[in-house]
Amino acid sequence: GGLMQGGFSPPYFTPAAVRQVEAVIGGLLIDWVTVRAESALAGQSIADAEVRRRTRMTVAAIVRGEESIVAPGPDEVVSAGDQVVVMGRPEDLAGFLDQFIN
């Protein structure tokens, strides 16, 4: 019980709660992380951050307040407070978190 009770409610998280959801589907990991002001990804576009080249993870979506940006383009700038949905192989997640989030 607890978190998921009564369906999935909108994501009102404290910035300190960086790791939210982690699911592995057919060997593909999907994780949802909160970008903090001190995160390296904050203020960078997806292209400039070179997320995929540097970590092999793909930014699948950005949730910003009430707005969801699915499959964001390379020019999309990630802001502090955004929730970022990333996809990739489980073994690549730690490198993504180390470089861009933590």
Side-chain angles (χ1 to χ4, degrees):
L3 192 68
M4 302 302 267
Q5 220 162 15
F8 190 72
S9 59
Y12 299 115
F13 302 134
T14 59
V18 174
R19 300 296 303 281
Q20 302 306 337
V21 180
E22 188 176 292
V24 178
I25 303 162
L28 178 73
L29 177 128
I30 300 172
D31 204 18
W32 183 339
V33 296
T34 300
V35 177
R36 296 168 300 152
E38 59 269 31
S39 298
L41 194 54
Q44 287 205 71
S45 73
I46 292 169
D48 286 346
E50 298 186 310
V51 173
R52 193 196 301 252
R53 188 181 71 77
R54 289 170 61 184
T55 68
R56 296 195 293 272
M57 299 292 287
T58 298
V59 177
I62 299 169
V63 180
R64 181 175 297 146
E66 299 295 303
E67 182 187 11
S68 293
I69 304 158
V70 177
D75 296 332
E76 190 66 48
V77 174
V78 179
S79 302
D82 286 357
Q83 270 116 33
V84 176
V85 181
V86 290
M87 294 189 316
R89 298 184 314 191
E91 58 267 31
D92 292 331
L93 178 65
F96 170 80
L97 293 174
D98 286 346
Q99 285 192 62
F100 289 115
I101 303 299
N102 295 336

